[in-house]
Amino acid sequence: MHSHWRDCQEWSKIGLPLSTTSNEACKMYDATVTQYIGWYDDASVGGLMGSMERMKRADPEFVMGRVLSAWFGLGGKSVRRDEQLRKDVEDLVRSAQGDNITAREKQHMEAIRLLSERDMPAACNVWENLLVEFPTDILALKLSQATYYDLGYSAQLRDSAARALLVWKPSMPLYGYLHGMHAFGLVETNFYGQAERSARKALDLNPRDIWASHAVCHVMEMEGREDEGIAFLANTLQDWSSCNLFAGHCYWHWALYYMEKGDYHAALDIFDSQYRGRKDAFITDTSSLLFRLNMEGVDVADRWDDTYTMCKSDLEERTTVFKDVHLLLSCLGAKQQDATKKMMESLRSFVSEEGTQSAVAKQVGISVCEALVAYDEGDYARSVDLMAPVRYQVINLGGSKAQLDLFHLFLINAAMRSPTKQHQQFARFLLAERKALKDHSPMTDRLMAAAALPSKGQFK
């Protein structure tokens, strides 16, 4: 693991000078970026937040430190609701007009400005232009990758990492992580064999590269290799579980493997051991897992209440529609009718605002959310009528294909429960599509049996 934190001179030597005279600020910037890319807290610097604080103390005006602060702030809040965040971004943008910072740093600041204005594709374009001139700026690569993920731009995820690999040298710090990034882009664009090879190369270089382990999980999920997935996660647990900032999501994959096999108790055990009472758990993991279990007919007891409690402070923040849908699921699952009503009102208001995610909400998000509400109310026919027309647009919600499979399963379950004969037949066709894409899927076979549809032979 990279832990030789680079000072001012070392950053200049690699062609990425930082506009500060503080060696401590430069070193803590390196520590912060490294932990963020590796998804772990390094105790020697007080973890990710500790290195951020040390960086700020060393030089409060350090431009790239302020870029990082704004990035993390925008990940959970909007400048339209958070006055301090708005002020911080405005101050950052004003400082870009000075001559004492580099052109590269100004590009980072411009990307943050665009992101604060909710123009996510434009922010990515700025980072991509930056990377043409400075292909070893791994922060620009990481931030663009994270934003592409939120946009559902899988080809861009793949290609941006591939371009970086062209010029990086294996001796450079953090080099191995590029292969993990590339692997995830490959699996999201259906190149499963190449994705697994790239991920395993990353793990050969650094067994603690949790993003690469995560890419392997996706390959095994998409190829119906749940037994191998369980064995892989169990055998490498000591490596990836040390990456505490993302380990919870790998446990989500582990639970999905068990669900596929019909071992619901094992999936619930993972929820109880990894998510219960933890405010740092991803709502997209907890809500998705419980809703999938509900659709399988599993009683999850009071676990929805726990999930709702963990996320209710986020209910009024509109950052990404992908997150919003999972927040709504927590409201529905916990039977919080007032919160559900407020969320739907907030989302309907959100579509009138400017920005990438507002457009996504208008195009697909509102329909998906209204379909989920109808499903919860037992109006399965209406749920199908709302969801079916946008089923090929759910990719615009962002997230991975494994995560978005929730909505395909939801449509199948709604159609199966609908009293309308046409919807029931539609469910059978959807299952035929699903079987054709992934032949080995015990879950699909169970659904086909429930829909009175042959699981083998008919769709070869």
Side-chain angles (χ1 to χ4, degrees), residues 18-86:
L18 297 171
S19 297
T20 179
T21 58
S22 170
N23 282 325
E24 174 70 1
C26 286
K27 289 180 178 181
M28 289 303 100
Y29 170 77
D30 195 1
T32 300
V33 171
T34 297
Q35 291 170 95
Y36 181 40
I37 290 169
W39 296 95
Y40 66 94
D41 283 314
D42 187 324
S44 71
V45 293
L48 179 63
M49 292 299 103
S51 61
M52 284 280 291
E53 287 302 316
R54 288 174 61 176
M55 177 177 61
K56 291 177 187 177
R57 285 198 303 269
D59 184 355
E61 300 303 315
F62 176 37
V63 168
M64 290 308 296
R66 293 167 67 192
V67 165
L68 277 170
S69 293
W71 165 262
F72 288 127
L74 290 167
K77 296 183 182 296
S78 163
V79 294
R80 304 186 190 193
R81 293 184 56 84
D82 191 304
E83 182 65 23
Q84 185 58 52
L85 180 59
R86 181 189 64 77

Side-chain angles (χ1 to χ4, degrees), residues 71 140 221 226 240 251 288 352 367 370 372 384:
W71 165 262
E221 169 71 21
E226 59 273 2
W240 60 263
Y251 278 110
S288 169
S352 65
S367 294
E370 289 180 344
L372 288 168
V384 175

Side-chain angles (χ1 to χ4, degrees), residues 392-412:
Y392 286 112
Q393 280 75 54
V394 295
I395 191 171
N396 296 326
L397 294 174
S400 69
K401 289 182 177 177
Q403 290 172 310
L404 293 174
D405 191 43
L406 173 76
F407 304 108
H408 301 304
L409 287 168
F410 162 56
L411 179 56
I412 289 169

Side-chain angles (χ1 to χ4, degrees), residues 163-226:
R163 288 191 294 271
L165 281 166
L166 177 68
V167 296
W168 276 63
K169 297 177 181 177
S171 59
M172 294 177 175
L174 310 179
Y175 165 78
Y177 287 112
L178 299 183
H179 289 283
M181 292 180 187
H182 191 215
F184 185 66
L186 286 166
V187 73
E188 288 302 294
T189 49
N190 307 326
F191 293 96
Y192 302 138
Q194 290 174 250
E196 185 168 0
R197 288 192 293 274
S198 187
R200 292 193 182 277
K201 181 171 183 177
L203 291 170
D204 286 341
L205 294 167
N206 176 11
R208 287 182 56 194
D209 183 348
I210 194 170
W211 196 252
S213 295
H214 164 248
V216 173
C217 289
H218 275 266
V219 171
M220 293 180 176
E221 169 71 21
M222 303 311 291
E223 293 190 331
R225 296 159 59 190
E226 59 273 2

Side-chain angles (χ1 to χ4, degrees), residues 352-368:
S352 65
E353 299 178 13
E354 294 184 0
T356 308
Q357 290 299 311
S358 296
V360 171
K362 183 176 183 179
Q363 293 162 2
V364 63
I366 293 295
S367 294
V368 171

